[in-house]
Amino acid sequence: MISACNSLKRVPSSKRLLTKNEIYVNGKKVKSEEITNLLYQKNNTSILGYRLRLNLYNLAKLNHDSIYQAKFVKHPDKYYRKAKWLSAKQVNRLGKSFWYAGIHDFLRDTGEPPVILDSKSTQKSVARLKSHYFNAGFFNATASATVDTSHLRKAKIKYFVTTNKPFIIDTLKSIIRSPVLDSVFNSRLYLTLIRPKKQYDIKDFEAERNRITAQFRNNGAYTFQQNYVTFDIDTLNRNNKANVTLKINDYSYREGDSTKTKPFVLYKINEVNIYTDYKQDNSNHGDSTKTVSGNFNLFSKGKLKYKPKAITDAVFIAKGSLYSDTRTSLSSRYLSNLKVFNYPTIQYKIDPNDSITNGLIANIYLTQREKYSFGASVDFTHSNIQDFGISGTASFSIRNVFNGAETFEIATRGNIGASKDLANSDNRFFNISDVGVDLKLNFPRIFMFFNTEKIIPKSMIPSTALTLGFAKQKNIGLDKENFTGAMSYNWTLNRNTSLRYDLFNIQYVKNVNTRNYFNVYNSSYKTLNALARNYNFNPALFDSAGNLIIDEGTDAFISSVLSAPPTVITSLNDRKTVNSINERRNRLTENNLIFASSFIISKTTKRDINDESFHVFRSKLEPAGNLLSLIAQFSKQPVNDNGKKTIFGVEYSQYIKGEVEYIKHWDLSRKKVLAFRSFLGLAVPYGNSTNIPFSRSYFAGGSNDNRAWQSYSLGPGSSTAINDFNEANMKFAMSAEFRFNFFGKFNGALFVDSGNIWNVFDDIVDEKSVFHGTKSLKDIAVGSGFGLRYDFGFFVFRLDFGFKTYNPADTSNKKWFRDYNFASSVLNIGINYPF
């Protein structure tokens, strides 16, 4: 290990290890990734200054085969002894085992060989730097490099670039040979990216070439390609000005052994053919049945299985319209989004019967997915609720249910588990269960009683989802029964912006076993039990261990303290505590009816799964209970004992909820990423409610939040989190995480999480829990730590160690770093990144 830490171990005595590169542009040091990536030679990667991969490489024995053989050459008796014991073949194979070969191959492949200074690579880097600034308009830029060899067998390189004055575009003119293209170009001339008085930059010319190509190909220029766009740059006037000439020649084609040219023409769509039963191994469509729908021809094997409009609505290639790449791409996306076909193939061919109007025939080939599909899975689980559990899911899907490309899914789930500490435990090993069923019907359009095409055009790929669900728990908490139903509309403004509107989202939560409350919320019970002992409450209501009997004893003590007049006289603070426990119990054990609507907008700049430099913005607005309030008012529904209006005897919730989330990633190159997340959420009860239902409230802590606290264990505010499940109706969170690669698929992270939850505009009166404006910002908790991650490709397994850095609930004067140790740390296990 000591030898491996010698970074020069594998550097030849006549060579030098490259330890650092520095780039100076016009005398200023430059560290941007765009510039540093231009260098041919980069020094070995490091983590906080430590060259981990280089040292791993140095640990490996590169010639392990010869070392293994040499051991027996020096000691032949040793070889014969082993051969008698294992056989000669096994002794030879032992040299390829993990201990002798595998571990060294792993270290070699995972590690990183030393970067040896190479003068040719240095000169190539100088040339590349000069070329980069030349392409940015600094035609007279100069570049050089100096090598610092003051350290033994080590070297640092300093690159110096002097840009001099940039060249500015003076004039711009175009020479387009084909009249139709010239007309199309001039119709959008105001969109050009190359303008006079702008500094020359080759990136602008590349972008302009792409813009012109897209403009032409979206306006009928089917045969046009990017290579027809060229630019002539004239800089002979020597006053740092450039005259630009855009040139687009005529269409060139081969005819026999010669090349000919002719003006470009714009192509129109003469015919659109859709093959709904296409199979690659059978391209013969002669026996297909043809169905004409509008300007579309649909071909099928036998009777068409779909309503024609369900397919033609997904096709944006229209007869009589000009050829367009955008329409082709949009059709492919929409058809794929129907989920009843594999990704479509769209091909064009010139109409042989049309030599006058330059027509095209569009052929769309669709391969059907299986109408029925079934899936199942089994998982073994462990959690804070169950010591061991077995869960299973089964799903069944039907495609094209009503011949309109609809999909129907039914999914069932079940879980049985064992918990030795469970409040409802019995003598059976599996003593808890959770079962549920979910139904989902998806329409590839807006399902509404009026036409929404003018509001949400089909180019936004809209869809409608109807969902129903039921879940039932036994011996878990209060044994909830959960009924859900929703109708959601989804559409996209563009590739980066999606919207969702829930016309209704109904949830009815029924608590079956409310008498189990104090067994589940044990912190409240312990507080109540201690008070009952302090005030020498009725001994008949305690068990043999001296604890209040649940439910008889707890109910009697609460009633005795809160009755008017009280039969148990307590201090004012203790009475408030008992009252708070009672109010929380009533709130968490009551049945909830939520009838909400919501609107969500999500925007991201992420281009693909490998993009590590992007941002995400998401906001949500959710009002609830307004429709039920109107119904209750006009139907004169009765009020309950709390003076609240009810629907079918159930008190409904009324609130408005808003959320904003922002995520930003910076790619720092060489598998280093800086990630940032901020979140703000607020739910305000009004009308029929004075608090937010538990299922719609906020909590803090956990593997995707503040990782120095367990879920539900942080807040509200500076309170000491006396409840088992602490929640509130306002939340602020902010996190930053530096991610880096150790080697291979093994990654690490350093993170800082901050935030908290508070009560505001509700019926909570505890000063420590209530948000009081900017002065409550001192209650923002801070956690920090490190993480280990392994990337399996399709998911990331994550271990994060969180340490309480600033604890607002700490009653001592030392809130910073008081519990910053492994004994007080929280281990978070997660799948994929937290944000």
Side-chain angles (χ1 to χ4, degrees), residues 24-27 129 133-134 136-143 160-167 199 240:
Y24 295 86
V25 179
N26 296 330
L129 284 169
Y133 284 97
F134 180 92
F138 300 98
F139 295 161
N140 298 321
T142 60
F160 300 92
V161 178
T162 303
T163 61
N164 295 311
K165 290 184 179 180
F167 275 70
Q199 182 176 330
N240 286 84

Side-chain angles (χ1 to χ4, degrees), residues 473-769:
Q473 298 175 337
K474 185 175 181 181
N475 289 349
I476 301 177
L478 305 180
D479 293 356
K480 296 180 183 292
E481 292 182 353
N482 195 14
F483 303 84
T484 58
M487 185 173 187
S488 306
Y489 301 108
N490 297 273
W491 67 97
T492 57
L493 290 180
N494 49 55
R495 281 185 175 270
N496 297 324
T497 306
S498 61
L499 299 100
R500 170 173 170 165
Y501 174 63
D502 284 3
L503 181 63
F504 61 82
N505 190 323
I506 305 172
Q507 182 182 25
Y508 173 58
V509 180
K510 182 180 180 181
N511 294 302
V512 178
N513 188 9
T514 58
R515 296 179 62 83
N516 197 41
Y517 177 84
F518 283 112
N519 285 317
V520 176
Y521 296 89
N522 196 249
S523 295
S524 297
Y525 172 75
K526 288 179 179 178
T527 302
L528 204 67
N529 189 48
L531 290 173
R533 288 177 175 177
N534 290 340
Y535 289 102
N536 298 319
F537 189 57
N538 186 355
L541 296 175
F542 286 82
D543 60 18
S544 57
N547 296 316
L548 273 176
I549 299 172
I550 302 173
D551 229 14
E552 183 182 357
T554 53
D555 286 350
F557 180 69
I558 291 173
S559 178
S560 298
V561 173
L562 301 181
S563 62
T567 56
V568 175
I569 307 300
T570 65
S571 67
L572 181 60
N573 287 336
D574 287 345
R575 179 181 172 84
K576 287 181 178 180
T577 300
V578 173
N579 186 60
S580 176
I581 291 173
N582 187 53
E583 287 181 347
R584 180 173 172 82
R585 180 180 66 162
N586 292 337
R587 176 184 167 219
L588 296 182
T589 57
E590 67 182 3
N591 299 330
N592 287 321
L593 176 60
I594 304 171
F595 194 111
S597 298
S598 65
F599 180 77
I600 303 173
I601 179 170
S602 301
K603 183 177 178 61
T604 178
T605 60
K606 190 167 186 176
R607 296 184 297 271
D608 53 57
I609 193 172
N610 297 315
D611 186 7
E612 290 292 357
S613 184
F614 64 92
H615 72 261
V616 177
F617 173 80
R618 187 188 72 90
S619 63
K620 177 182 180 180
L621 182 65
E622 178 184 315
N626 296 329
L627 179 61
L628 294 183
S629 179
L630 290 174
I631 294 174
Q633 182 177 349
F634 285 106
S635 61
K636 297 181 179 180
Q637 293 291 320
V639 297
N640 60 14
D641 295 337
N642 298 323
K644 301 298 178 62
K645 298 176 183 177
T646 61
I647 295 290
F648 305 118
V650 180
E651 180 181 326
Y652 60 87
S653 299
Q654 196 169 6
Y655 62 86
I656 186 166
K657 184 178 185 180
E659 296 177 352
V660 177
E661 182 179 35
Y662 179 75
I663 297 172
K664 174 68 176 176
H665 284 207
W666 290 271
D667 190 345
L668 304 181
S669 77
R670 308 183 85 172
K671 295 185 179 180
K672 297 184 181 70
V673 175
L674 179 62
F676 169 82
R677 173 185 180 256
S678 59
F679 175 88
L680 178 63
L682 174 65
V684 180
Y686 66 94
N688 206 50
S689 298
T690 57
N691 52 60
I692 302 300
F694 184 85
S695 61
R696 303 298 171 97
S697 60
Y698 297 109
F699 70 91
S703 61
N704 294 321
D705 195 68
N706 197 321
R707 285 162 279 187
W709 280 264
Q710 294 179 343
S711 298
Y712 293 96
S713 65
L714 172 60
S718 60
S719 65
T720 54
I722 61 172
N723 299 312
D724 297 87
F725 300 93
N726 297 279
E727 41 79 38
N729 65 324
M730 177 182 173
K731 179 175 182 177
F732 170 75
M734 186 177 293
S735 297
E737 184 171 274
F738 174 59
R739 301 166 184 167
F740 51 88
N741 176 255
F742 284 119
F743 50 81
K745 296 183 177 181
F746 189 56
N747 303 306
L750 301 173
F751 60 84
V752 176
D753 299 324
S754 62
N756 209 329
I757 55 174
W758 291 270
N759 291 98
V760 62
F761 305 128
D762 61 4
D763 55 5
I764 300 299
V765 295
D766 181 13
E767 289 296 313
K768 293 183 178 181
S769 302

Side-chain angles (χ1 to χ4, degrees), residues 4 39 93 141 215 424 434 464 591 597 735 751:
L39 303 181
R93 289 181 62 185
Q215 182 184 358
N424 298 70
D434 184 3
T464 304
N591 299 330
S597 298
S735 297
F751 60 84

Side-chain angles (χ1 to χ4, degrees), residues 29-47:
K29 192 173 182 180
V30 175
K31 295 183 178 181
S32 69
E33 179 186 349
E34 180 184 11
I35 304 302
T36 56
N37 280 344
L38 296 173
L39 303 181
Y40 276 89
Q41 273 196 311
K42 300 180 180 67
N43 51 290
N44 289 100
T45 58
S46 63
I47 300 172

